[in-house]
Amino acid sequence: AVKQLWGEGDHMAEINDMMAEQEAIRGEKAKSICDLFRDKAVRWQLITLFLVASCMQLIGINMVYFYAYNVFIKAGIPPAQTHYVSLGVGITEILSTVLCGFLIERAGRKTLLWKSYTVMALALGLLTVTLSLQDSFFWVPYCSVALIFIFIMSFGIGPAGVLCPLPTEIFIQSYRPAAYVFNGATNWIQLFILGLLFPFIV
């Protein structure tokens, strides 16, 4: 099965890891959220998961989606055509997330996260400038649209693709269900808080 999944080659190191993990958790039940918080052995994994999930929310992806329509209208795209551009935004994220699947093993998770967060921060900085100057030159709104696409592509290649499998990769089997629940709750609670606070910040 491993050869069918990963192709020909020596996969004994991976198989040995699987066997060692299976032996370590033999007869052990799935841990609860409370166990996840109490066990000091998984404290750093929990902190890592929380920080990566928080960065994904705080980088502003949902706010970019929220204001993208206004940027497209300011760029001169007719309101009847904006849904096609919005569809292009969604397709861009899907394709870049698929691309992340091919890059993640070659480039490494840390590299993908740091580089994509850097590009996203630069794109947001430039987007702030172009939104401020959008009435100065006719071509500036189009730069804003391009920056939104660059931002979303970077999001798909980095955080969107890296965070999904992260609980599986840093927690052993007995902690994974609780880690996924914690990850989901963290994301939705932070999204709720941002949704409440962001209009006041604006």
Side-chain angles (χ1 to χ4, degrees), residues 136-156:
S136 304
F137 304 99
F138 76 94
W139 48 267
V140 172
Y142 296 101
C143 293
S144 300
V145 172
L147 287 167
I148 286 176
F149 274 90
I150 290 168
F151 180 86
I152 287 169
M153 191 184 317
S154 301
F155 176 77

Side-chain angles (χ1 to χ4, degrees), residues 51-62 117 124 190 194:
L51 289 175
V52 173
S54 298
C55 286
M56 191 168 101
Q57 287 298 332
L58 295 173
I59 193 65
I61 184 67
N62 295 301
Y117 277 137
L124 284 181
Q190 290 183 349
L194 282 172

Side-chain angles (χ1 to χ4, degrees), residues 63 66-67 191-202:
M63 301 311 128
F66 183 73
Y67 283 99
L191 181 58
F192 173 72
I193 292 168
L194 282 172
L196 286 179
L197 294 180
F198 193 73
F200 296 105
I201 295 170
V202 170

Side-chain angles (χ1 to χ4, degrees), residues 10-198:
D10 184 15
H11 304 296
M12 280 313 297
E14 289 86 353
I15 292 171
N16 289 338
D17 284 345
M18 291 176 200
M19 299 303 286
E21 183 178 340
Q22 185 182 11
E23 193 63 38
I25 63 168
R26 189 179 296 280
E28 198 172 336
K29 289 188 283 186
K31 304 291 185 180
S32 69
I33 294 284
C34 294
D35 296 329
L36 188 67
F37 285 113
R38 279 197 295 257
D39 193 345
K40 291 181 180 175
V42 293
R43 185 70 38 87
W44 281 109
Q45 289 98 311
L46 192 64
I47 290 169
T48 301
L49 186 61
F50 177 77
L51 289 175
V52 173
S54 298
C55 286
M56 191 168 101
Q57 287 298 332
L58 295 173
I59 193 65
I61 184 67
N62 295 301
M63 301 311 128
V64 166
Y65 272 130
F66 183 73
Y67 283 99
Y69 178 81
N70 294 341
V71 173
F72 297 152
I73 294 295
K74 284 281 188 180
I77 297 167
Q81 305 296 318
T82 52
H83 59 278
Y84 292 116
V85 182
S86 297
L87 183 64
V89 167
I91 290 170
T92 300
E93 186 173 348
I94 290 169
L95 292 177
S96 56
T97 304
V98 170
L99 178 62
C100 178
F102 294 108
L103 293 176
I104 200 165
E105 293 302 329
R106 290 191 181 130
R109 285 136 186 84
K110 283 184 191 175
T111 304
L112 283 180
L113 282 175
W114 284 114
K115 287 187 177 179
S116 62
Y117 277 137
T118 302
V119 172
M120 290 166 77
L122 289 171
L124 284 181
L126 290 171
L127 187 60
T128 304
V129 173
T130 58
L131 289 176
S132 301
L133 300 174
Q134 64 188 2
D135 296 324
S136 304
F137 304 99
F138 76 94
W139 48 267
V140 172
Y142 296 101
C143 293
S144 300
V145 172
L147 287 167
I148 286 176
F149 274 90
I150 290 168
F151 180 86
I152 287 169
M153 191 184 317
S154 301
F155 176 77
I157 290 173
V162 172
L163 186 61
C164 290
L166 192 63
T168 304
E169 295 171 344
I170 63 176
F171 288 95
I172 62 171
Q173 183 62 45
S174 55
Y175 280 103
R176 283 177 196 158
Y180 271 105
V181 170
F182 172 76
N183 185 36
T186 301
N187 272 309
W188 285 109
I189 289 168
Q190 290 183 349
L191 181 58
F192 173 72
I193 292 168
L194 282 172
L196 286 179
L197 294 180
F198 193 73

